[in-house]
C-alpha cells in the first residue's frame, strides 16, 4: 500500500487496491486481531475498519452499502474511498440488482 500514492495509471492503481483488499480478506481473524495500529496510521486503521464492516455485513449487500457509505465519511482520505476494491463494489451492487 505504500506505493499507492505513486501509482498514476488507473489500471495499476486499481490492481494495487484490489490486491491489497484480497490480501486483507484472506487474513485469518486471529491475525487481524493481533495487528497493532499506531495512532498515526489512519489509513491502515481505515482499511481494518473496512475489513471489519465487510465481515459483519457481506451477507447483506444493502447493509454493506450503508456501512461502506458511513466508512467513507469517517475516512475521506483513505485510498479506498477514491478507488474502492472491485470485489467489495461487486457485492454492494448485488443489492441494487436484486432490488430492481
Amino acid at each position: 500500500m505504500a506505493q499507492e500514492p505513486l501509482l498514476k495509471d488507473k489500471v495499476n492503481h486499481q490492481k494495487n487496491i484490489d490486491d491489497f483488499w484480497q490480501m486483507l480478506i484472506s487474513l485469518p481473524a486471529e491475525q487481524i486481531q493481533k495487528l497493532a495500529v499506531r495512532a498515526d496510521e489512519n489509513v491502515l486503521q481505515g482499511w481494518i475498519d473496512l475489513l471489519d464492516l465487510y465481515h459483519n455485513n457481506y451477507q447483506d449487500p444493502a447493509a454493506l452499502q450503508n456501512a461502506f457509505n458511513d466508512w467513507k465519511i469517517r475516512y475521506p482520505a483513505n485510498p479506498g474511498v477514491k478507488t474502492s476494491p472491485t470485489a467489495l463494489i461487486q457485492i454492494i451492487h448485488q443489492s441494487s440488482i436484486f432490488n430492481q
Side-chain angles (χ1 to χ4, degrees):
M1 237 27 254
Q3 67 185 9
E4 185 273 331
L6 304 174
L7 295 171
K8 303 300 180 200
D9 176 73
K10 285 183 116 175
V11 172
N12 287 330
H13 190 259
Q14 185 68 57
K15 182 178 178 348
N16 186 55
I17 295 286
D18 290 344
D19 289 349
F20 183 71
W21 181 248
Q22 188 59 45
M23 184 271 308
L24 280 177
I25 63 174
S26 64
L27 286 174
E30 312 83 54
Q31 203 170 1
I32 296 165
Q33 292 170 351
K34 291 179 184 178
L35 288 174
V37 181
R38 296 188 319 245
D40 64 341
E41 294 179 315
N42 194 42
V43 172
L44 179 57
Q45 186 60 58
W47 282 112
I48 292 171
D49 286 354
L50 182 59
L51 181 63
D52 186 49
L53 71 87
Y54 167 79
H55 284 300
N56 291 330
N57 297 291
Y58 75 93
Q59 293 180 325
D60 182 350
L64 181 59
Q65 181 169 14
N66 290 333
F68 183 53
N69 289 338
D70 289 343
W71 176 86
K72 290 189 289 186
I73 293 167
R74 287 185 296 144
Y75 296 98
N78 191 287
V81 172
K82 181 180 174 189
T83 308
S84 303
T86 302
L88 177 66
I89 297 305
Q90 288 172 339
I91 292 171
I92 289 171
H93 283 287
Q94 287 178 4
S95 170
S96 60
I97 291 170
F98 293 126
N99 293 324
Q100 290 182 355

